[in-house]
Amino acid sequence: MSTTRTALPALVVAAFAGHVAYPAWLLAHRPPRAQRAAIAATAEGPVAEHGWTWEDVDVLVPAHGEAGVILETLRTLVETCRVPLSCVTVVVDEDERTRDLCLAHGFRVDYAERRAGKAAAVNRGVDGTKAPYVVVVDANATLDQDGLRALLNTCAARYDLVSGLRRERGAADEGLYWRYENWIKTTEAARGGSLALVGEAVAFRRPVFRPIPAGTANDDLWLAFDVASRGYAVGVEPRCLVVEDSAPRGDQLERRVRIMAGQLRLFWRYRAQFASGPVEFRRFAAHKVWRSTVGPAAQVALLAGAAAAPRRRTSQLVLAGHALAVLAYARGDRLHGRASAPLRLAGQAVGMPLVVFCRALPRAVRGQSGVWTKRMR
């Protein structure tokens, strides 16, 4: 009995500490108020090119099955962000409709007959670049002029690899998740760096790029780990906000499982860096690695213990609470309004990590291809 009483709180702490401990540490170690005010002041007003011109930039847009959405992204780049047409290359794999649509509107296309995944498309696109700065933008991403310029300014002045922030339109619970993630990334940016990049909009200095290994499902995380492990600066630019529509819940779940399976393999590959590498790796381990490994594993242990003693009151609470959280995550895209906010929070903080981890772990162990079935847009 005493062992159970000790194990239960320890497992609860292990399961959910990653959600609150690292953010609490960030709050306790914020830069001085004057420094925060200076950082906020730089985010005000229009953003002009600083340290680069468009002649120094190549913009790549990897695409497969994007004929229904890619023109909006390309028009945003050219008309809103003022990127010269000559700087943009659409890297298309095994999709003649998207290829022909882009060509018909005057865009340069790098076409491959066979799809090999986004990592291979990025490798091929970067191999064809000559400019000192490369930007990779998702085919369904929306960003504004100041955001893209801020991304390039930061790449030219501060980081060798930098991404923007992501926001989703649609599902309210996904919006909650990304507000939480973006707060952490923004706070880390004020401290000097972050490995928690998003792949929707990434800029890097061409010389630091190394080809992404075949089969890599997390091109953005691999780039962050690879570049940081070689001593280069990696971070985020909060002024670059990339907006995408929320996917249907089934597609979103599959995406998260695929991403976590890839993350788990990368965590194992770079495990030594979390102990002895740059400080950014240790911060990443305290937050993202914990939430993807120790946290959900502790939830599984909690559920196993509860299932072994189902008549105990605490066991019933654990089982019922997790069941409700999993259901809230499964239906989270249908939960709207202030009254359902606690359910959305439970779904994202409790249900989602458990479901995704249990589905991703077997896939990570057996390995997965860098090519996956994709819904045509």
Side-chain angles (χ1 to χ4, degrees):
M1 180 68 71
S2 61
T3 302
T4 303
R5 289 176 178 175
T6 304
L8 181 62
L11 286 173
V12 171
V13 170
F16 305 113
H19 295 71
V20 295
Y22 183 63
W25 184 89
L26 287 174
L27 279 173
H29 294 82
R30 286 183 299 175
R33 181 177 297 179
Q35 183 178 344
R36 298 201 305 271
I39 293 172
T42 64
E44 298 177 357
V47 179
E49 295 92 342
H50 182 72
W52 58 276
T53 68
W54 286 116
E55 293 180 355
D56 302 319
V57 180
D58 281 319
V59 179
L60 305 176
V61 185
H64 170 78
E66 306 285 2
V69 297
I70 194 168
L71 281 186
E72 180 181 353
T73 297
L74 295 175
R75 286 171 179 153
T76 298
L77 287 172
V78 174
E79 298 173 7
T80 303
C81 300
R82 304 296 182 184
V83 181
L85 193 65
S86 60
C87 295
V88 180
T89 301
V90 187
V91 187
V92 184
D93 283 359
E94 199 181 313
D95 180 2
E96 295 181 359
R97 185 183 173 200
T98 299
R99 177 198 66 187
D100 294 345
L101 186 65
C102 294
L103 288 173
H105 285 80
F107 290 94
R108 181 170 58 244
V109 173
D110 181 339
Y111 185 72
E113 294 288 345
R114 183 177 180 181
R115 183 183 176 213
K118 183 181 177 182
V122 171
N123 288 344
R124 193 172 80 248
V126 174
D127 189 54
T129 62
K130 297 180 180 178
Y133 299 103
V134 178
V135 177
V136 181
V137 178
D138 272 5
N140 64 326
T142 302
L143 64 165
D144 61 25
Q145 178 181 10
D146 285 347
L148 182 57
R149 286 179 173 173
L151 188 73
L152 283 161
N153 285 351
T154 303
C155 189
R158 185 177 180 187
Y159 295 125
D160 300 288
L161 169 68
V162 59
S163 85
L165 301 179
R166 174 188 169 104
R167 188 178 70 192
E168 287 200 8
R169 288 182 298 232
D173 62 333
E174 290 295 328
L176 176 67
Y177 171 83
W178 285 108
R179 285 197 299 273
Y180 171 78
E181 284 285 326
N182 289 343
W183 180 86
I184 291 176
K185 297 176 200 292
T186 301
T187 308
E188 286 183 325
R191 294 188 57 82
S194 173
L195 300 184
L197 306 190
V198 295
E200 286 75 14
V202 175
F204 52 84
R205 297 175 186 264
R206 177 65 177 82
V208 309
F209 179 84
R210 295 199 300 190
I212 305 168
T216 300
N218 308 69
D219 52 286
D220 49 355
L221 186 60
W222 185 90
L223 283 171
F225 282 4
D226 178 67
V227 171
S229 66
R230 290 183 282 133
Y232 295 106
V234 179
V236 298
E237 172 46 70
R239 290 173 292 177
C240 180
L241 183 63
V242 185
V243 181
E244 291 189 354
D245 292 326
S246 298
R249 184 46 45 104
D251 292 353
Q252 185 71 275
L253 175 59
E254 170 57 26
R255 176 179 177 272
R256 289 200 183 280
V257 171
R258 183 179 70 247
I259 288 174
M260 181 175 280
Q263 285 178 341
L264 293 174
R265 294 182 70 86
L266 285 173
F267 294 165
W268 180 254
R269 177 175 178 175
Y270 284 91
R271 60 191 182 279
Q273 296 288 338
F274 297 126
S276 58
V279 66
E280 288 81 9
F281 277 93
R282 294 192 289 278
R283 291 176 185 165
F284 190 88
H287 169 50
K288 201 75 172 179
V289 176
W290 188 289
R291 283 171 46 208
S292 300
T293 57
V294 177
Q299 288 182 260
V300 172
L302 268 174
L303 289 171
R311 294 185 178 181
R312 290 179 181 169
R313 179 65 174 169
T314 53
S315 296
Q316 294 170 358
L317 290 173
V318 167
L319 292 170
H322 276 81
L324 179 62
V326 169
L327 180 61
Y329 173 63
R331 300 297 181 91
D333 55 341
R334 304 177 188 179
L335 298 175
H336 299 279
R338 187 172 298 177
S340 63
L343 284 175
R344 295 197 301 269
L345 178 61
Q348 287 292 319
V350 181
M352 185 266 287
L354 176 66
V355 172
V356 174
F357 176 79
C358 289
R359 295 186 59 175
L361 184 59
R363 191 181 300 189
V365 171
R366 68 175 182 263
Q368 64 178 356
S369 169
V371 181
W372 55 89
T373 302
K374 180 178 177 181
R375 183 190 295 267
M376 298 297 180
R377 289 186 282 223

